[in-house]
Amino acid sequence: SPAAIIAPSILSADFANLGAECSKMIDSGAQWLHIDIMDGHFVPNITFGAPVVTKIRSHVDKPTAKHGKGTFDCHMMIAEPKKWVKEFQKAGCDLYCFHYEAAISSTAAESPESTSELKTSPKEMTRYIHDCGMLAGIAIKPDTKVGVLWEILETKEDKERPDMVLVMTVHPGFGGQKFMASELPKVAELRKRYPDLNIEVDGGLGPGTIDQAADAGANVIVAGSAVFGAKDPAEVIAKLREAVDK
Ligand code: DX5
Ligand code: ZN
């Protein structure tokens, strides 16, 4: 597997001190920040939008390398992922991770306020994100089979191939939920087929669950409550990294 990347989820941060909380995570050894965007439609919760990302960007230096320190990993739990690509790029997002389920859903196209421009497919989304200068990630919910990803991962078109796959290990919407080990066979199958792929896991990760996820082959580790709730976040980040790189 590629080297470990630890991505604290700022969903568990103190939102009244977001800038300081974010720089603290980078100073504590995290490479990425995982930024959960929820629209109240794709998931039953609302977080924040691009203006907040712009503000935290001013507290965290832009990465100087692909996948480097300070990468903003925006997890877009939104029904219309195509609509927000440019806006998030301007706000300082480095990796735009959309949900497969949202990209194939016809709801976006059928809702009265949206136009045909918002119709999309996973490959089109990936190409569009790359054209806008960001890395692209594709996420799957627990109810989605991993096999839906083979086509896009096998594409010969470099621009249409995602840079990362996110396998959700909870039903998206809230921090602090219980880790679903039932999702790990998806990670193992992805790793078997793609030794160099960045495979991210998100939901319920912490010192108690990291070994299973690392053994399955995950290398990008999101952790919200386990890191922000810790007395010493640096220690938890180091533990997570050691488990993946061992
Ligand atoms: C859940 C979010 C996660 C969440 C993880 O929908 O996508 O990123 O913040 O939180 P923990 O690590 O507490 O499960
Ligand atoms: Zn997330």
Side-chain angles (χ1 to χ4, degrees):
S1 311
I5 293 172
I6 310 303
S9 165
I10 68 166
L11 192 56
S12 295
D14 171 4
F15 283 175
N17 291 298
L18 208 42
E21 292 267 276
C22 289
S23 28
K24 181 171 128 195
M25 286 302 146
I26 300 291
D27 294 343
S28 300
Q31 289 102 318
W32 290 11
L33 287 178
H34 183 84
I35 301 177
D36 287 307
I37 310 297
M38 305 185 188
D39 68 351
H41 290 277
F42 185 74
V43 287
N45 196 7
I46 296 175
T47 53
F48 45 78
V52 172
V53 176
T54 303
K55 279 292 176 187
I56 57 179
R57 187 78 274 178
S58 66
H59 288 258
V60 179
D61 290 340
K62 262 288 209 190
T64 51
K66 197 177 169 185
H67 309 300
K69 186 173 151 187
T71 292
F72 278 13
D73 165 26
C74 294
H75 178 193
M76 309 304 290
M77 288 165 274
I78 62 176
E80 294 182 334
K82 198 171 178 191
K83 190 169 174 179
W84 301 99
V85 172
K86 284 201 175 131
E87 188 126 353
F88 275 76
Q89 191 278 328
K90 279 190 222 133
C93 167
D94 303 292
L95 189 159
Y96 191 97
C97 185
F98 65 95
H99 266 269
Y100 167 84
E101 302 85 359
I104 58 156
S105 144
S106 57
T107 352
E110 280 165 9
S111 77
E113 68 272 33
S114 68
T115 66
S116 61
E117 282 159 43
L118 293 171
K119 277 192 195 161
T120 191
S121 72
K123 282 183 184 172
E124 222 182 286
M125 268 301 298
T126 305
R127 176 181 288 278
Y128 184 46
I129 294 164
H130 284 148
D131 284 343
C132 289
M134 294 181 286
L135 296 167
I138 186 166
I140 52 170
K141 298 205 260 190
D143 292 337
T144 303
K145 292 195 167 64
V146 70
V148 302
L149 299 174
W150 303 153
E151 192 194 336
I152 193 166
L153 290 171
E154 290 302 326
T155 179
K156 299 277 175 286
E157 294 285 335
D158 286 349
K159 283 224 162 175
E160 293 181 350
R161 200 177 315 113
D163 305 283
M164 183 185 84
V165 169
L166 164 51
V167 174
M168 290 303 300
T169 45
V170 297
H171 292 288
F174 302 91
Q177 303 183 76
K178 192 175 175 288
F179 178 72
M180 295 167 71
S182 59
E183 304 313 296
L184 292 178
K186 295 178 182 175
V187 174
E189 200 169 348
L190 280 162
R191 179 56 72 216
K192 201 170 110 199
R193 289 179 184 237
Y194 304 104
D196 302 322
L197 181 67
N198 278 310
I199 305 176
E200 182 175 60
V201 281
D202 180 13
L205 272 305
T209 49
I210 187 61
D211 285 329
Q212 306 167 58
D215 289 347
N219 72 298
V220 185
I221 310 299
V222 177
S225 43
V227 170
F228 281 95
K231 246 201 230 121
D232 185 357
E235 192 190 317
V236 176
I237 289 169
K239 261 193 206 157
L240 297 175
R241 185 189 315 289
E242 280 158 27
V244 174
D245 286 340
K246 75 173 181 272

